Amino acid sequence: MKLLLCDVGNTSYHIADAKSTYKKAVSAFNPASITEKIYYSCVNQAVLKVLQSLDNWINIADYVDKTQYYASMGIDRICAVQALENAVVVDAGSAITVDVVRENQFEGGFISPGIEAMRQTYKNISPALDYSFNFDLDLAIMPKNSQDAISYGFLKTLYSEVMSQNLPIVLTGGNAKELQKIFKNATVNEHLIFDGMKQIIKKAQLC
Amino acid sequence: MKLLLCDVGNTSYHIADAKSTYKKAVSAFNPASITEKIYYSCVNQAVLKVLQSLDNWINIADYVDKTQYYASMGIDRICAVQALENAVVVDAGSAITVDVVRENQFEGGFISPGIEAMRQTYKNISPALDYSFNFDLDLAIMPKNSQDAISYGFLKTLYSEVMSQNLPIVLTGGNAKELQKIFKNATVNEHLIFDGMKQIIKKAQLC
């Protein structure tokens, strides 16, 4: 399939053409500059309004069987889940969404703040908590320094919850590689949402 | 012991006299208005400078055996730990500090953002995540709506980590009662830091 695909998040357009994928900042990119047919998933409400006014931009959300999901669930999460049969999907961007798929059924999911958002949060609480996270943290030991104390508070709690599902872990999103330092046996798939979009397009016989 | 005690956090002075305890906003209270001898713990660096210039304000940090703690550990956490023999101390304020004491030994601890900080963080990531937390959330079920998805991301991960210590749980700090909805068997002790300060004063034979 030679498809033009786009996943729009809170901060960027992530575009896949036949040859490569690339990102454009939401603040700087004009979607009308693309004149070919392009399928998109979009969780950014402001951008969504613009895309809906462009005839060649086709909303993948209109072709998903939503019965097993919930009304306010981001279409990016639905696409990622559609791409897998048995997995915990951890999509690490401005938020970290964690979704559980077992035997093709979506079981539910939760949302943590993203790495940068959490760093800002700790920093805003107190200058004494202004550290970057230690991804080499030993998760088996209760911390005895400030950097590890915030790293553990963010990463260990996320780690334990994801691991408790006893499923293969698939990491995607802009911060997937950072999280792989914690989830050492996880697979990184930076094109998971595009994989899901392709499946939805195929199932709906759109091309 | 008739003591005047004060615990200064990032946002308020918490004062205990012989009769009651009360709070004053850091932004509005003048510590020089207290002229009697007062023992204090203070994690607010700006306030600490002022208190150190006042002769009747006595820093409890100068009387603690710090060998089992670490240099940057907040004196409020040290006081809370000093008050207990076997417990997980969850101090829920602008940050949530979780500290483990086993047989009078401090094993370490971690720091999560406080309830209000987390709410702001989700809201700032996306207007679609602008919800208050659902403290009546069923922690055994993977969520299928946005409010529960962020509540689970924050509260369940904290819950699991605290419970994994297999120790009695003591809640303190301004949001202790909200967290008790999650930690149903926990004890709430809003005067835990004062209890620890009294023990330190007694041990150091300050009065």
Side-chain angles (χ1 to χ4, degrees):
Chain A
M1 279 197 286
K2 273 191 185 175
L3 282 171
L4 205 50
L5 303 171
C6 182
D7 169 42
V8 190
N10 293 306
T11 54
S12 57
Y13 290 80
H14 193 190
I15 298 170
D17 60 26
K19 287 175 278 184
S20 66
T21 69
Y22 54 96
K23 285 194 178 182
K24 299 280 184 186
V26 161
S27 53
F29 183 68
N30 176 13
S33 67
I34 294 183
T35 53
E36 299 147 88
K37 187 193 264 193
I38 180 164
Y39 295 91
Y40 70 91
S41 68
C42 178
V43 295
N44 186 315
Q45 294 306 311
V47 172
L48 186 60
K49 277 188 192 159
V50 178
L51 300 186
Q52 284 172 332
S53 72
L54 299 171
D55 285 345
N56 63 313
W57 284 74
I58 297 159
N59 193 349
I60 201 83
D62 296 338
Y63 300 95
V64 175
D65 172 13
K66 294 205 189 80
T67 48
Q68 67 168 320
Y69 304 106
Y70 59 87
S72 63
M73 185 171 168
I75 183 67
D76 51 348
R77 292 170 63 193
I78 293 176
C79 289
V81 163
Q82 288 271 333
L84 297 161
E85 289 174 16
N86 278 293
V88 190
V89 184
V90 182
D91 187 342
S94 53
I96 298 175
T97 56
V98 178
D99 287 304
V100 178
V101 204
R102 223 179 288 265
E103 293 175 6
N104 280 311
Q105 286 300 305
F106 171 62
E107 292 199 341
F110 68 90
I111 306 174
S112 292
I115 294 171
E116 185 49 33
M118 276 301 257
R119 180 158 155 55
Q120 281 299 324
T121 301
Y122 282 111
K123 184 182 167 179
N124 291 344
I125 291 170
S126 165
L129 302 180
D130 182 11
Y131 292 96
S132 53
F133 295 111
N134 175 15
F135 288 91
D136 300 314
L137 180 73
D138 184 341
L139 298 177
I141 295 173
M142 201 45 88
K144 285 199 173 184
N145 68 70
S146 295
Q147 187 188 20
D148 287 355
I150 65 161
S151 303
Y152 192 103
F154 175 39
L155 300 171
K156 171 69 187 293
T157 56
L158 177 67
Y159 174 83
S160 300
E161 189 58 35
V162 169
M163 295 304 284
S164 74
Q165 298 300 323
N166 285 312
L167 283 170
I169 296 160
V170 182
L171 303 175
T172 190
N175 296 121
K177 283 189 176 150
E178 276 154 293
L179 285 192
Q180 202 178 26
K181 290 183 191 167
I182 301 292
F183 299 103
K184 293 186 200 303
N185 296 319
T187 309
V188 172
N189 180 347
E190 284 165 359
H191 305 141
L192 187 65
I193 292 173
F194 296 135
D195 291 352
M197 289 174 79
K198 284 179 193 165
Q199 291 215 10
I200 294 163
I201 289 165
K202 206 174 167 185
K203 230 182 261 182
Q205 299 181 300
L206 294 178
C207 68
Chain B
M1 279 198 287
K2 273 191 187 174
L3 282 171
L4 204 50
L5 303 171
C6 181
D7 169 43
V8 190
N10 292 305
T11 53
S12 57
Y13 289 80
H14 193 189
I15 299 170
D17 60 25
K19 286 175 280 184
S20 65
T21 69
Y22 55 95
K23 285 194 178 182
K24 298 280 182 184
V26 161
S27 53
F29 182 67
N30 176 14
S33 66
I34 293 181
T35 52
E36 299 147 270
K37 186 192 264 193
I38 180 165
Y39 295 91
Y40 71 90
S41 68
C42 178
V43 295
N44 186 315
Q45 294 305 309
V47 172
L48 186 61
K49 276 187 195 160
V50 177
L51 300 186
Q52 283 171 333
S53 73
L54 300 171
D55 285 344
N56 62 312
W57 284 75
I58 297 159
N59 193 349
I60 202 83
D62 296 338
Y63 298 96
V64 174
D65 172 14
K66 294 204 190 81
T67 48
Q68 67 167 320
Y69 305 106
Y70 59 88
S72 63
M73 184 170 168
I75 183 66
D76 51 350
R77 291 169 64 194
I78 293 176
C79 288
V81 164
Q82 287 271 333
L84 298 161
E85 288 175 17
N86 278 292
V88 190
V89 183
V90 181
D91 187 343
S94 54
I96 298 175
T97 56
V98 177
D99 288 302
V100 178
V101 204
R102 223 178 287 266
E103 293 174 6
N104 281 311
Q105 287 299 304
F106 171 62
E107 291 197 343
F110 68 90
I111 306 174
S112 291
I115 293 171
E116 185 48 33
M118 277 300 258
R119 179 157 156 60
Q120 280 299 323
T121 301
Y122 282 111
K123 182 182 170 178
N124 291 344
I125 289 171
S126 165
L129 302 180
D130 183 11
Y131 292 97
S132 53
F133 294 110
N134 175 13
F135 287 92
D136 298 315
L137 181 73
D138 184 342
L139 298 177
I141 296 174
M142 200 48 87
K144 285 198 172 185
N145 67 69
S146 296
Q147 186 188 20
D148 286 355
I150 65 160
S151 303
Y152 191 103
F154 174 40
L155 299 172
K156 171 69 187 291
T157 56
L158 177 67
Y159 174 84
S160 300
E161 188 58 36
V162 169
M163 294 304 284
S164 74
Q165 297 300 323
N166 286 312
L167 282 170
I169 297 160
V170 182
L171 304 175
T172 189
N175 296 122
K177 283 191 176 148
E178 275 154 295
L179 286 191
Q180 200 178 26
K181 291 183 190 168
I182 301 294
F183 298 103
K184 295 187 199 301
N185 296 319
T187 308
V188 172
N189 180 347
E190 284 166 359
H191 304 140
L192 188 63
I193 293 173
F194 295 135
D195 291 351
M197 289 174 80
K198 283 180 194 166
Q199 290 215 11
I200 294 163
I201 289 166
K202 205 174 168 185
K203 229 183 260 181
Q205 298 181 302
L206 293 178
C207 66

PDB file of all heavy atoms in Angstrom, chain B residues 47-70:
ATOM      1  N   VAL B  47      12.293  30.889  53.303  1.00  0.00           N
ATOM      2  CA  VAL B  47      11.855  31.119  54.696  1.00  0.00           C
ATOM      3  C   VAL B  47      12.988  30.786  55.664  1.00  0.00           C
ATOM      4  O   VAL B  47      13.203  31.494  56.661  1.00  0.00           O
ATOM      5  CB  VAL B  47      10.594  30.276  55.020  1.00  0.00           C
ATOM      6  CG1 VAL B  47      10.250  30.348  56.503  1.00  0.00           C
ATOM      7  CG2 VAL B  47       9.406  30.736  54.175  1.00  0.00           C
ATOM      8  N   LEU B  48      13.733  29.724  55.356  1.00  0.00           N
ATOM      9  CA  LEU B  48      14.818  29.285  56.242  1.00  0.00           C
ATOM     10  C   LEU B  48      15.811  30.418  56.527  1.00  0.00           C
ATOM     11  O   LEU B  48      16.235  30.616  57.673  1.00  0.00           O
ATOM     12  CB  LEU B  48      15.547  28.085  55.603  1.00  0.00           C
ATOM     13  CG  LEU B  48      16.631  27.414  56.460  1.00  0.00           C
ATOM     14  CD1 LEU B  48      16.065  26.855  57.760  1.00  0.00           C
ATOM     15  CD2 LEU B  48      17.322  26.283  55.682  1.00  0.00           C
ATOM     16  N   LYS B  49      16.135  31.172  55.488  1.00  0.00           N
ATOM     17  CA  LYS B  49      17.062  32.311  55.659  1.00  0.00           C
ATOM     18  C   LYS B  49      16.528  33.320  56.675  1.00  0.00           C
ATOM     19  O   LYS B  49      17.276  33.841  57.498  1.00  0.00           O
ATOM     20  CB  LYS B  49      17.280  33.013  54.310  1.00  0.00           C
ATOM     21  CG  LYS B  49      18.368  32.336  53.475  1.00  0.00           C
ATOM     22  CD  LYS B  49      18.681  33.128  52.229  1.00  0.00           C
ATOM     23  CE  LYS B  49      19.483  32.264  51.259  1.00  0.00           C
ATOM     24  NZ  LYS B  49      19.412  32.773  49.900  1.00  0.00           N
ATOM     25  N   VAL B  50      15.241  33.589  56.607  1.00  0.00           N
ATOM     26  CA  VAL B  50      14.620  34.537  57.551  1.00  0.00           C
ATOM     27  C   VAL B  50      14.656  33.961  58.964  1.00  0.00           C
ATOM     28  O   VAL B  50      15.059  34.642  59.918  1.00  0.00           O
ATOM     29  CB  VAL B  50      13.159  34.835  57.135  1.00  0.00           C
ATOM     30  CG1 VAL B  50      12.485  35.763  58.145  1.00  0.00           C
ATOM     31  CG2 VAL B  50      13.111  35.427  55.732  1.00  0.00           C
ATOM     32  N   LEU B  51      14.268  32.684  59.108  1.00  0.00           N
ATOM     33  CA  LEU B  51      14.193  32.060  60.441  1.00  0.00           C
ATOM     34  C   LEU B  51      15.560  32.014  61.112  1.00  0.00           C
ATOM     35  O   LEU B  51      15.672  32.176  62.325  1.00  0.00           O
ATOM     36  CB  LEU B  51      13.586  30.650  60.341  1.00  0.00           C
ATOM     37  CG  LEU B  51      12.159  30.557  59.775  1.00  0.00           C
ATOM     38  CD1 LEU B  51      11.639  29.132  59.868  1.00  0.00           C
ATOM     39  CD2 LEU B  51      11.211  31.530  60.477  1.00  0.00           C
ATOM     40  N   GLN B  52      16.597  31.778  60.301  1.00  0.00           N
ATOM     41  CA  GLN B  52      17.947  31.690  60.870  1.00  0.00           C
ATOM     42  C   GLN B  52      18.414  33.019  61.435  1.00  0.00           C
ATOM     43  O   GLN B  52      19.333  33.071  62.253  1.00  0.00           O
ATOM     44  CB  GLN B  52      18.935  31.176  59.805  1.00  0.00           C
ATOM     45  CG  GLN B  52      18.793  29.655  59.594  1.00  0.00           C
ATOM     46  CD  GLN B  52      19.572  29.121  58.413  1.00  0.00           C
ATOM     47  OE1 GLN B  52      19.822  29.856  57.455  1.00  0.00           O
ATOM     48  NE2 GLN B  52      19.944  27.856  58.461  1.00  0.00           N
ATOM     49  N   SER B  53      17.753  34.106  61.041  1.00  0.00           N
ATOM     50  CA  SER B  53      18.134  35.426  61.557  1.00  0.00           C
ATOM     51  C   SER B  53      17.378  35.779  62.842  1.00  0.00           C
ATOM     52  O   SER B  53      17.614  36.820  63.444  1.00  0.00           O
ATOM     53  CB  SER B  53      17.863  36.495  60.488  1.00  0.00           C
ATOM     54  OG  SER B  53      16.459  36.704  60.374  1.00  0.00           O
ATOM     55  N   LEU B  54      16.443  34.900  63.248  1.00  0.00           N
ATOM     56  CA  LEU B  54      15.627  35.176  64.439  1.00  0.00           C
ATOM     57  C   LEU B  54      16.096  34.300  65.603  1.00  0.00           C
ATOM     58  O   LEU B  54      16.045  33.073  65.516  1.00  0.00           O
ATOM     59  CB  LEU B  54      14.149  34.898  64.137  1.00  0.00           C
ATOM     60  CG  LEU B  54      13.511  35.728  62.995  1.00  0.00           C
ATOM     61  CD1 LEU B  54      12.125  35.190  62.652  1.00  0.00           C
ATOM     62  CD2 LEU B  54      13.439  37.201  63.376  1.00  0.00           C
ATOM     63  N   ASP B  55      16.545  34.911  66.707  1.00  0.00           N
ATOM     64  CA  ASP B  55      17.155  34.178  67.820  1.00  0.00           C
ATOM     65  C   ASP B  55      16.211  33.196  68.511  1.00  0.00           C
ATOM     66  O   ASP B  55      16.653  32.162  69.000  1.00  0.00           O
ATOM     67  CB  ASP B  55      17.689  35.167  68.863  1.00  0.00           C
ATOM     68  CG  ASP B  55      18.968  35.833  68.379  1.00  0.00           C
ATOM     69  OD1 ASP B  55      19.574  35.321  67.408  1.00  0.00           O
ATOM     70  OD2 ASP B  55      19.351  36.868  68.963  1.00  0.00           O
ATOM     71  N   ASN B  56      14.919  33.498  68.567  1.00  0.00           N
ATOM     72  CA  ASN B  56      13.988  32.619  69.292  1.00  0.00           C
ATOM     73  C   ASN B  56      13.474  31.457  68.443  1.00  0.00           C
ATOM     74  O   ASN B  56      12.792  30.582  68.952  1.00  0.00           O
ATOM     75  CB  ASN B  56      12.794  33.432  69.818  1.00  0.00           C
ATOM     76  CG  ASN B  56      11.988  34.068  68.699  1.00  0.00           C
ATOM     77  OD1 ASN B  56      12.580  34.687  67.805  1.00  0.00           O
ATOM     78  ND2 ASN B  56      10.676  33.933  68.713  1.00  0.00           N
ATOM     79  N   TRP B  57      13.805  31.438  67.147  1.00  0.00           N
ATOM     80  CA  TRP B  57      13.414  30.310  66.273  1.00  0.00           C
ATOM     81  C   TRP B  57      14.575  29.305  66.251  1.00  0.00           C
ATOM     82  O   TRP B  57      15.675  29.628  65.804  1.00  0.00           O
ATOM     83  CB  TRP B  57      13.102  30.791  64.849  1.00  0.00           C
ATOM     84  CG  TRP B  57      11.758  31.470  64.731  1.00  0.00           C
ATOM     85  CD1 TRP B  57      11.443  32.730  65.161  1.00  0.00           C
ATOM     86  CD2 TRP B  57      10.558  30.931  64.156  1.00  0.00           C
ATOM     87  NE1 TRP B  57      10.116  33.009  64.886  1.00  0.00           N
ATOM     88  CE2 TRP B  57       9.548  31.924  64.266  1.00  0.00           C
ATOM     89  CE3 TRP B  57      10.231  29.705  63.575  1.00  0.00           C
ATOM     90  CZ2 TRP B  57       8.244  31.721  63.810  1.00  0.00           C
ATOM     91  CZ3 TRP B  57       8.934  29.523  63.106  1.00  0.00           C
ATOM     92  CH2 TRP B  57       7.947  30.513  63.231  1.00  0.00           C
ATOM     93  N   ILE B  58      14.331  28.094  66.732  1.00  0.00           N
ATOM     94  CA  ILE B  58      15.402  27.099  66.892  1.00  0.00           C
ATOM     95  C   ILE B  58      15.208  25.964  65.880  1.00  0.00           C
ATOM     96  O   ILE B  58      14.163  25.304  65.867  1.00  0.00           O
ATOM     97  CB  ILE B  58      15.410  26.554  68.337  1.00  0.00           C
ATOM     98  CG1 ILE B  58      15.730  27.738  69.280  1.00  0.00           C
ATOM     99  CG2 ILE B  58      16.454  25.454  68.509  1.00  0.00           C
ATOM    100  CD1 ILE B  58      15.296  27.496  70.693  1.00  0.00           C
ATOM    101  N   ASN B  59      16.212  25.772  65.055  1.00  0.00           N
ATOM    102  CA  ASN B  59      16.122  24.801  63.965  1.00  0.00           C
ATOM    103  C   ASN B  59      16.330  23.377  64.474  1.00  0.00           C
ATOM    104  O   ASN B  59      17.418  23.009  64.912  1.00  0.00           O
ATOM    105  CB  ASN B  59      17.167  25.143  62.891  1.00  0.00           C
ATOM    106  CG  ASN B  59      16.926  24.374  61.605  1.00  0.00           C
ATOM    107  OD1 ASN B  59      16.118  23.439  61.569  1.00  0.00           O
ATOM    108  ND2 ASN B  59      17.623  24.773  60.548  1.00  0.00           N
ATOM    109  N   ILE B  60      15.293  22.557  64.389  1.00  0.00           N
ATOM    110  CA  ILE B  60      15.338  21.178  64.877  1.00  0.00           C
ATOM    111  C   ILE B  60      16.389  20.363  64.103  1.00  0.00           C
ATOM    112  O   ILE B  60      16.944  19.386  64.616  1.00  0.00           O
ATOM    113  CB  ILE B  60      13.921  20.543  64.782  1.00  0.00           C
ATOM    114  CG1 ILE B  60      13.778  19.364  65.742  1.00  0.00           C
ATOM    115  CG2 ILE B  60      13.578  20.116  63.365  1.00  0.00           C
ATOM    116  CD1 ILE B  60      13.433  19.770  67.141  1.00  0.00           C
ATOM    117  N   ALA B  61      16.674  20.808  62.861  1.00  0.00           N
ATOM    118  CA  ALA B  61      17.648  20.100  62.025  1.00  0.00           C
ATOM    119  C   ALA B  61      19.027  20.044  62.681  1.00  0.00           C
ATOM    120  O   ALA B  61      19.811  19.132  62.411  1.00  0.00           O
ATOM    121  CB  ALA B  61      17.742  20.768  60.654  1.00  0.00           C
ATOM    122  N   ASP B  62      19.313  21.002  63.555  1.00  0.00           N
ATOM    123  CA  ASP B  62      20.619  21.026  64.225  1.00  0.00           C
ATOM    124  C   ASP B  62      20.746  19.968  65.308  1.00  0.00           C
ATOM    125  O   ASP B  62      21.831  19.756  65.855  1.00  0.00           O
ATOM    126  CB  ASP B  62      20.861  22.414  64.854  1.00  0.00           C
ATOM    127  CG  ASP B  62      20.940  23.518  63.808  1.00  0.00           C
ATOM    128  OD1 ASP B  62      21.228  23.188  62.631  1.00  0.00           O
ATOM    129  OD2 ASP B  62      20.703  24.695  64.158  1.00  0.00           O
ATOM    130  N   TYR B  63      19.637  19.292  65.644  1.00  0.00           N
ATOM    131  CA  TYR B  63      19.660  18.347  66.759  1.00  0.00           C
ATOM    132  C   TYR B  63      19.332  16.913  66.340  1.00  0.00           C
ATOM    133  O   TYR B  63      19.056  16.067  67.169  1.00  0.00           O
ATOM    134  CB  TYR B  63      18.684  18.825  67.853  1.00  0.00           C
ATOM    135  CG  TYR B  63      19.089  20.168  68.406  1.00  0.00           C
ATOM    136  CD1 TYR B  63      18.516  21.341  67.915  1.00  0.00           C
ATOM    137  CD2 TYR B  63      20.099  20.274  69.371  1.00  0.00           C
ATOM    138  CE1 TYR B  63      18.910  22.582  68.383  1.00  0.00           C
ATOM    139  CE2 TYR B  63      20.507  21.509  69.848  1.00  0.00           C
ATOM    140  CZ  TYR B  63      19.910  22.664  69.349  1.00  0.00           C
ATOM    141  OH  TYR B  63      20.316  23.878  69.810  1.00  0.00           O
ATOM    142  N   VAL B  64      19.349  16.660  65.028  1.00  0.00           N
ATOM    143  CA  VAL B  64      19.016  15.325  64.531  1.00  0.00           C
ATOM    144  C   VAL B  64      20.292  14.557  64.212  1.00  0.00           C
ATOM    145  O   VAL B  64      21.225  15.117  63.640  1.00  0.00           O
ATOM    146  CB  VAL B  64      18.158  15.432  63.243  1.00  0.00           C
ATOM    147  CG1 VAL B  64      17.913  14.065  62.629  1.00  0.00           C
ATOM    148  CG2 VAL B  64      16.847  16.134  63.528  1.00  0.00           C
ATOM    149  N   ASP B  65      20.322  13.270  64.574  1.00  0.00           N
ATOM    150  CA  ASP B  65      21.406  12.394  64.140  1.00  0.00           C
ATOM    151  C   ASP B  65      21.137  12.040  62.681  1.00  0.00           C
ATOM    152  O   ASP B  65      20.270  11.225  62.386  1.00  0.00           O
ATOM    153  CB  ASP B  65      21.446  11.145  65.022  1.00  0.00           C
ATOM    154  CG  ASP B  65      22.430  10.123  64.474  1.00  0.00           C
ATOM    155  OD1 ASP B  65      23.252  10.477  63.592  1.00  0.00           O
ATOM    156  OD2 ASP B  65      22.369   8.955  64.918  1.00  0.00           O
ATOM    157  N   LYS B  66      21.873  12.643  61.755  1.00  0.00           N
ATOM    158  CA  LYS B  66      21.543  12.512  60.324  1.00  0.00           C
ATOM    159  C   LYS B  66      22.233  11.326  59.646  1.00  0.00           C
ATOM    160  O   LYS B  66      22.054  11.120  58.447  1.00  0.00           O
ATOM    161  CB  LYS B  66      21.908  13.804  59.574  1.00  0.00           C
ATOM    162  CG  LYS B  66      21.061  15.012  59.986  1.00  0.00           C
ATOM    163  CD  LYS B  66      21.018  16.063  58.870  1.00  0.00           C
ATOM    164  CE  LYS B  66      20.387  17.368  59.337  1.00  0.00           C
ATOM    165  NZ  LYS B  66      21.319  18.238  60.083  1.00  0.00           N
ATOM    166  N   THR B  67      22.977  10.548  60.416  1.00  0.00           N
ATOM    167  CA  THR B  67      23.793   9.494  59.784  1.00  0.00           C
ATOM    168  C   THR B  67      22.977   8.497  58.957  1.00  0.00           C
ATOM    169  O   THR B  67      23.446   8.013  57.939  1.00  0.00           O
ATOM    170  CB  THR B  67      24.616   8.710  60.839  1.00  0.00           C
ATOM    171  OG1 THR B  67      23.732   8.347  61.912  1.00  0.00           O
ATOM    172  CG2 THR B  67      25.748   9.549  61.384  1.00  0.00           C
ATOM    173  N   GLN B  68      21.744   8.186  59.382  1.00  0.00           N
ATOM    174  CA  GLN B  68      20.958   7.194  58.618  1.00  0.00           C
ATOM    175  C   GLN B  68      20.160   7.821  57.477  1.00  0.00           C
ATOM    176  O   GLN B  68      19.508   7.117  56.723  1.00  0.00           O
ATOM    177  CB  GLN B  68      20.073   6.352  59.545  1.00  0.00           C
ATOM    178  CG  GLN B  68      18.943   7.112  60.229  1.00  0.00           C
ATOM    179  CD  GLN B  68      17.930   6.152  60.876  1.00  0.00           C
ATOM    180  OE1 GLN B  68      17.598   5.116  60.312  1.00  0.00           O
ATOM    181  NE2 GLN B  68      17.456   6.508  62.062  1.00  0.00           N
ATOM    182  N   TYR B  69      20.194   9.144  57.357  1.00  0.00           N
ATOM    183  CA  TYR B  69      19.449   9.820  56.296  1.00  0.00           C
ATOM    184  C   TYR B  69      20.404  10.262  55.186  1.00  0.00           C
ATOM    185  O   TYR B  69      21.528   9.790  55.121  1.00  0.00           O
ATOM    186  CB  TYR B  69      18.649  10.996  56.885  1.00  0.00           C
ATOM    187  CG  TYR B  69      17.758  10.555  58.012  1.00  0.00           C
ATOM    188  CD1 TYR B  69      18.073  10.852  59.344  1.00  0.00           C
ATOM    189  CD2 TYR B  69      16.623   9.784  57.766  1.00  0.00           C
ATOM    190  CE1 TYR B  69      17.272  10.407  60.380  1.00  0.00           C
ATOM    191  CE2 TYR B  69      15.820   9.331  58.795  1.00  0.00           C
ATOM    192  CZ  TYR B  69      16.154   9.645  60.103  1.00  0.00           C
ATOM    193  OH  TYR B  69      15.366   9.198  61.123  1.00  0.00           O
ATOM    194  N   TYR B  70      19.944  11.157  54.297  1.00  0.00           N
ATOM    195  CA  TYR B  70      20.870  11.675  53.288  1.00  0.00           C
ATOM    196  C   TYR B  70      20.820  13.189  53.264  1.00  0.00           C
ATOM    197  O   TYR B  70      19.850  13.799  53.727  1.00  0.00           O
ATOM    198  CB  TYR B  70      20.610  11.059  51.911  1.00  0.00           C
ATOM    199  CG  TYR B  70      19.236  11.251  51.319  1.00  0.00           C
ATOM    200  CD1 TYR B  70      18.930  12.370  50.559  1.00  0.00           C
ATOM    201  CD2 TYR B  70      18.236  10.293  51.481  1.00  0.00           C
ATOM    202  CE1 TYR B  70      17.672  12.543  49.979  1.00  0.00           C
ATOM    203  CE2 TYR B  70      16.980  10.460  50.920  1.00  0.00           C
ATOM    204  CZ  TYR B  70      16.702  11.583  50.174  1.00  0.00           C
ATOM    205  OH  TYR B  70      15.463  11.754  49.613  1.00  0.00           O
TER     206      TYR B  70
END
